[in-house]
Amino acid sequence: MNDEMRPTDESELREMVRASSGPLSLRGGGTRGVAFGTGAVLQTSGLSGIRLYEPGALTLVAGAGTPVAEVAAVLAGERQRLAFEVPDMRGVLRRPVLQGTGVSTLGGVVSVNACGPRRVQVGACRDHLLGVRFVDGMGTVIKSGGRVMKNVTGLDLVKLMAGSHGTLGVISEVAFKVQAIPEAEVTLAAEVGVVEGLALLRKALGSPFDVSGAAYAGFRALVRVEGMEASVRYRARALKALLGGDWTEIDGATLWNSVRDGGGVGQGALWRVSCQPTAAAAVVAALAGVDHEAVFDWGGGLIWIAVRGLTDGGAGLIRRVLVGLGHATLVRRAGDQTSGVPVFQPEAPGVAALSLAIKAKFDPRDILNRGISTAGLSTAGLSTAGDLG
């Protein structure tokens, strides 16, 4: 078998998986994170192309290897978008090409359950998935979901695949519900300290004013509202009155892109921390005296932290304070210093056993992305370590 395989359709993909006698390392565009399996590279970028797009039904079906930029351009032509704001991690990873096309693909987005600041309003990638087709570790084609949102009984395979990091199957096709681009957008900014700023963000998110972004970056609290022009203006005024202090309206497009794409933090080991918003300040306080930068999203529920100067990249400090409060994923290593640090937060024994059992059902030969911790599974209610939004 060649060191790198590139199927051009689902039949070829199925036969390649069936014929594999060793582990397969799955790649889309190779633009996300440090979690890659061992073995021969199976490149999915050949499974590309938009198969169905119905603007009136807000529905799009495309191959897993379809570039996100291509989809975004097609949707923009109808003033629509993927609502969950797909992060572009190439900048913070400083590796635009990793044995792949160097562009983000839909399959990769689903595999890590990617999402950005708008998650506080619309949810993550998994919440917009209508259906998925994939090939499991035995070479069997499995289809789950369809082109409309339905109630699900039993195991929801669509949600299960989102955030599984290619450990359960090779995605070949995805179906999404899309969103109309709103008429107006306003970003409010206020210069405040981090503790006060996070409290204001939580207050904004707890209001009835439908906030679509709540971040703290560059010593400023940032709140975004989107929608019809009159509604946005009303909600912006109401939020200013509710939050008090000196809030100004700014052009937030570049800022929100920076927050979306890893916070714009500098050198060092980069962590993506998911935690209870009320614990966010304490997580960063644990790094007092350590050279670090932090940007907060989701009202403090997500923190991008760059740590410099520690031999473990801050893993010990960060993961110790997160016990019972959340989890930390290593997104960017800092040279040899973090070579032995697990990418995902270790799971509780019971959850780890359940994750392994699910893996054994879908990939009994353990050939798909072998070596990636089963903490990458994002089964509902079991583990969120695969939620790389």
Side-chain angles (χ1 to χ4, degrees):
M1 188 174 295
N2 295 329
D3 290 338
E4 181 166 329
M5 296 168 285
R6 189 176 182 272
T8 58
D9 58 38
E10 191 176 74
S11 296
E12 285 187 6
L13 172 62
R14 179 188 61 209
E15 293 308 315
M16 287 177 180
V17 174
R18 284 181 179 176
S20 176
S21 58
L24 296 173
S25 178
L26 309 186
R27 298 285 201 282
T31 63
R32 298 180 181 279
V34 294
F36 291 108
T38 60
V41 173
L42 198 163
Q43 170 63 251
T44 62
S45 60
L47 305 171
S48 64
I50 295 174
R51 316 290 170 68
L52 171 74
Y53 177 37
E54 296 181 348
L58 299 175
T59 302
L60 179 136
V61 181
T66 309
V68 171
E70 177 184 326
V71 171
V74 171
L75 293 177
E78 298 289 339
R79 286 199 53 77
Q80 294 180 351
R81 66 186 181 187
L82 294 173
F84 51 91
E85 280 182 292
V86 180
D88 184 348
M89 303 301 294
R90 290 175 294 180
V92 295
L93 293 176
R94 299 187 299 276
R95 293 179 297 177
V97 179
L98 290 175
Q99 293 183 325
T101 62
V103 297
S104 183
T105 63
L106 288 183
V109 166
V110 173
S111 292
V112 300
N113 190 35
C115 55
R118 203 174 289 115
R119 180 173 185 171
V120 296
Q121 182 190 52
V122 303
C125 171
R126 67 163 68 93
D127 300 300
H128 298 263
L129 269 176
L130 299 174
V132 63
R133 292 178 67 96
F134 64 96
V135 176
D136 70 10
M138 296 301 291
T140 302
V141 176
I142 298 175
K143 176 185 176 182
S144 181
R147 298 174 182 174
V148 295
M149 189 65 72
K150 298 180 180 179
N151 292 329
V152 176
T153 57
L155 187 61
D156 187 349
L157 298 186
V158 175
K159 299 292 193 296
L160 183 67
M161 291 300 292
S164 62
H165 287 263
T167 58
L168 303 180
V170 189
I171 298 172
S172 57
E173 184 180 273
V174 292
F176 282 107
K177 61 177 179 179
V178 299
Q179 181 191 62
I181 295 175
E183 182 178 280
E185 172 186 321
V186 165
T187 294
L188 304 177
E191 293 190 6
V192 291
V194 62
V195 174
E196 180 185 357
L198 291 173
L200 289 171
L201 295 181
R202 295 195 298 271
K203 189 173 184 179
L205 288 171
S207 76
F209 302 122
D210 199 20
V211 169
S212 69
Y216 183 89
F219 305 102
R220 291 190 296 181
L222 305 169
V223 176
R224 181 177 64 185
V225 289
E226 300 172 293
M228 300 294 289
E229 179 75 34
S231 171
V232 166
R233 291 298 167 190
Y234 165 76
R235 285 182 285 144
R237 290 194 302 269
L239 280 165
K240 289 179 183 178
L242 173 70
L243 301 176
D246 186 15
W247 291 83
T248 58
E249 296 186 11
I250 64 171
D251 181 358
T254 301
L255 275 172
W256 289 112
N257 286 346
S258 177
V259 172
R260 178 198 69 189
D261 299 340
V265 295
Q267 302 291 319
L270 178 61
W271 295 90
R272 184 183 186 279
V273 174
S274 294
C275 66
Q276 297 175 15
T278 52
V283 171
V284 176
L287 294 170
V290 175
D291 184 10
H292 72 281
E293 296 175 68
V295 169
F296 302 80
D297 199 2
W298 306 349
L302 173 65
I303 318 172
W304 296 101
I305 308 177
V307 179
R308 295 174 284 271
L310 296 182
T311 56
D312 66 348
L317 284 172
I318 294 172
R319 285 178 168 161
R320 184 160 55 247
V321 75
L322 282 172
V323 173
L325 298 175
H327 58 82
T329 302
L330 181 59
V331 176
R332 182 182 67 206
R333 297 192 185 277
D336 295 336
Q337 288 183 318
T338 52
S339 60
V341 176
V343 171
F344 300 109
Q345 184 106 1
E347 291 179 319
V351 175
L354 184 53
S355 295
L356 284 170
I358 294 173
K359 167 75 169 174
K361 290 293 185 182
F362 286 90
D363 182 22
R365 296 188 292 164
D366 188 24
I367 65 170
L368 301 179
N369 274 356
R370 181 186 294 177
I372 295 182
S373 168
T374 51
L377 301 183
S378 59
T379 47
L382 299 178
S383 170
T384 55
D387 190 357
L388 292 182

